[in-house]
Amino acid sequence: MMRSLFSGVSGLKVHQTKMDVIGNNISNVNTIGFKASTVTFTDVFYQTTQSASGPNAATGTTGRNAMQIGLGSNVAAITTSINTTGASQRTDNPFDVMIEGDGFFIVNYGGTNYFTKAGSFGIDASGTLCTAVGASVMGWQVDPNDPTKTIADAVSPLKIMSPENMYAKPEATTAAYISGNIDSKDSQIAPNGSGKMVNLSFYDSMGYSYKADIRVKQSATEGTNVYTVELVDIKDEYGKSIFVVEEMDSAGNITYDASGITRVNFGDAQYTATVNTTTGEVTLTATEDILLTFNGSTGSFVGVGDSNSNDKSISLEIIADAGGANPFRPIDIDFSSITMYSNSGKSTLEANKGSLQGIGAGKQVGNLTGISIDASGKIYGKYDNGDSKLLGQIVVATFSNPAGLEAIGNSMFAATQNSGDFDGIGQDPTQGGGSLTTGVLEMSNVDLSAQFTDMITTQRGFQANSRIITTSDSLLEELINLKR
């Protein structure tokens, strides 16, 4: 009878353990990335009152089975359903990421790498991608020799919004084109007219913006299908000529002087700047005229120069004083898109940054305006100058036995001897057919219907084991009463 008492006690213990696990599952029904656990029971040590014996032909006896009395139950395993994916919750937050596959995010907390399915990330004060509990998200860094790729090396914190990533480098303009139509009957472009002004915007290598004022008018000596193109001035983003500097004396009087930029090459013509020190007016003097020639019969563009020229563009080169820094790059200006058709006596010319193929337009300094993460975990920064720059890559870790991971709280797991080791590098999320989805979170995989069913069977099991104890107690009471 004492054995039945202790068997009942062991039954109460294991069912209480199972109830504890069920309670933890239900309490985490809305915890992102949570993985439910299940409890498995096993019987324990048996007391053998008679061993098994085989048949004996000499004595004519048959074989007998062993007689054993079990001593209760025990918890065999508490298994986490790690490979069961939870439901998807849409958040539209670009820093919320869900893993499609068996991988785990790699995070570092207190100097140790852990693993999680909870992809609710954010940015800390230093620009590091991190979890809600303050663990750094680990990944691969950008290859310094190829900024379009990452280096598959030891994982490190992803400082995606570090100071160097808040800006995109500017680029100098190296190409432009002028499009539109010249009407030979337009009085504005006649030899005695004011000329058609075209404003060409461009950038230097530091991202500063400028405008080159270019004037087109009909040649006075070459005929109606030949036009001169000349440079009038180049101004900065504040509308001031780059050839002039303002100086103020002690009395507050402003005078003007020539800047360090004294010469410009515009095609074969060399321009020299002269500055009026009183008014600041700039006069550019060219060594020769640059001509644009059109076909007088069809109105199509022939070339830069005379009718035998095949050149389609003019190079604009701004030259600083010797020994000084020159942030400007030569700009190839293509005129081949211009036509010479009738247009009611009006000419329409427009300058465009970049070549006809869409390259060489240049860029100003870009400010970071957004972050995006693609299916392979690559993080891109979006900048207001149109740039998109790779900032790093989120990688994942996989294990031969993910159920062997040890839960340490805060939705994180630690590697154990039975889970397999983490190699310190990780792998691309798309390896093995997986991927990452942004704006979505993986919710808990707890099945409430299954948990409530388990709760009922656990309650009944606990009740049945309690009856073993009360009934055994009644038997002991009857035994004691035999003395009366």
Side-chain angles (χ1 to χ4, degrees):
M1 286 182 287
M2 296 299 293
R3 285 188 296 244
S4 63
L5 281 172
F6 289 116
S7 293
V9 171
S10 70
L12 292 177
K13 287 183 177 179
V14 296
H15 282 85
Q16 180 59 61
T17 300
K18 185 172 183 178
M19 195 65 196
D20 292 339
V21 172
I22 293 172
N24 182 61
N25 289 340
I26 295 176
S27 68
N28 286 284
V29 68
N30 287 318
T31 302
I32 61 171
F34 178 79
K35 301 299 181 181
S37 299
T38 57
V39 180
T40 304
F41 296 157
T42 184
D43 54 357
V44 292
F45 181 74
Y46 282 82
Q47 180 180 357
T48 302
T49 59
Q50 180 176 311
S51 300
S53 62
N56 191 330
T59 60
T61 57
T62 61
R64 298 181 64 183
N65 295 327
M67 289 188 290
Q68 295 178 292
I69 301 174
L71 301 179
S73 62
N74 201 359
V75 176
I78 301 176
T79 306
T80 304
S81 55
I82 201 80
N83 289 325
T84 303
T85 304
S88 302
Q89 179 185 6
R90 177 180 170 182
T91 66
D92 293 330
N93 183 345
F95 292 119
D96 287 342
V97 188
M98 177 177 173
I99 298 177
E100 298 286 349
D102 297 330
F104 292 81
F105 295 114
I106 307 162
V107 298
N108 188 279
Y109 190 73
T112 303
N113 287 332
Y114 296 107
F115 313 94
T116 183
K117 285 284 190 177
S120 179
F121 302 142
I123 304 292
D124 69 1
S126 64
T128 303
L129 191 65
C130 61
T131 67
V133 298
S136 300
V137 180
M138 309 294 279
W140 296 336
Q141 305 300 327
V142 179
D143 187 345
N145 298 319
D146 186 353
T148 64
K149 297 180 180 178
T150 55
I151 302 176
D153 202 350
V155 294
S156 56
L158 294 170
K159 298 182 178 181
I160 60 174
M161 295 185 71
S162 58
E164 62 269 21
N165 288 335
M166 297 304 293
Y167 302 95
K169 293 181 179 179
E171 294 180 6
T173 300
T174 57
Y177 68 93
I178 295 178
S179 59
N181 182 73
I182 294 176
D183 190 327
S184 61
K185 303 300 182 181
D186 183 359
S187 60
Q188 184 180 9
I189 65 168
N192 58 350
S194 60
K196 181 65 177 178
M197 296 297 297
V198 181
N199 299 120
L200 171 62
S201 297
F202 63 95
Y203 299 106
D204 67 9
S205 59
M206 294 188 292
Y208 291 110
S209 177
Y210 301 88
K211 283 187 177 180
D213 296 334
I214 299 173
R215 180 162 53 205
V216 179
K217 62 189 306 184
Q218 205 170 55
S219 173
T221 59
E222 300 293 333
T224 58
N225 62 326
V226 179
Y227 296 82
T228 61
V229 55
E230 59 180 325
L231 183 65
V232 177
D233 199 359
I234 299 176
K235 299 175 182 178
D236 61 19
E237 55 192 340
Y238 303 106
K240 296 182 179 181
S241 176
I242 65 172
F243 303 102
V244 181
V245 291
E246 293 184 3
E247 297 180 349
M248 181 179 294
D249 59 22
S250 58
N253 298 317
I254 297 177
T255 58
Y256 302 91
D257 199 359
S259 69
I261 303 172
T262 58
R263 189 162 58 90
V264 176
N265 291 336
F266 190 53
D268 293 333
Q270 294 184 358
Y271 282 78
T272 304
T274 304
V275 178
N276 186 313
T277 59
T278 302
T279 64
E281 183 180 354
V282 176
T283 302
L284 293 182
T285 305
T287 56
E288 61 181 283
D289 290 335
I290 301 299
L291 303 179
L292 302 179
T293 302
F294 293 83
N295 188 314
S297 301
T298 64
S300 60
F301 182 77
V302 174
V304 176
D306 57 30
S307 58
N308 297 320
S309 173
N310 293 320
D311 292 338
K312 303 296 182 182
S313 61
I314 298 173
S315 177
L316 173 63
E317 184 179 5
I318 303 172
I319 302 172
D321 284 342
N326 188 0
F328 301 99
R329 299 292 178 267
I331 303 173
D332 187 71
I333 305 174
D334 190 337
F335 288 84
S336 62
S337 298
I338 302 176
T339 56
M340 191 183 68
Y341 302 138
S342 172
N343 189 34
S344 302
K346 295 181 180 180
S347 298
T348 57
L349 294 178
E350 181 181 6
N352 306 271
K353 293 190 292 291
S355 67
L356 291 170
Q357 293 74 34
I359 59 175
K363 298 174 182 178
Q364 60 185 353
V365 176
N367 296 301
L368 184 65
T369 57
I371 298 289
S372 64
I373 304 173
D374 68 10
S376 65
K378 290 183 177 179
I379 306 170
Y380 292 92
K382 305 295 183 182
Y383 299 86
D384 60 7
N385 67 347
D387 266 2
S388 177
K389 184 168 67 173
L390 179 63
L391 307 180
Q393 184 176 8
I394 298 173
V395 297
V396 298
T398 57
F399 297 89
S400 55
N401 176 29
L405 293 170
E406 178 184 356
I408 64 166
N410 290 323
S411 299
M412 295 189 293
F413 298 89
T416 66
Q417 292 182 345
N418 199 39
S419 65
D421 294 328
F422 170 55
D423 61 5
I425 297 176
Q427 65 184 45
D428 190 298
T430 58
Q431 184 175 332
S435 65
L436 298 185
T437 304
T438 58
V440 177
L441 287 176
E442 179 182 351
M443 297 303 293
S444 170
N445 68 351
V446 173
D447 184 347
L448 277 179
S449 61
Q451 296 301 314
F452 284 129
T453 302
D454 287 345
M455 188 188 299
I456 293 172
T457 59
T458 302
Q459 181 185 11
R460 295 308 180 194
F462 190 91
Q463 288 175 334
N465 279 275
S466 66
R467 295 298 182 269
I468 295 174
I469 296 174
T470 56
T471 303
S472 297
D473 178 57
S474 297
L475 292 175
L476 286 172
E477 184 180 2
E478 290 297 327
L479 178 61
I480 294 172
N481 288 337
L482 289 176
K483 184 176 179 296
R484 296 178 181 176

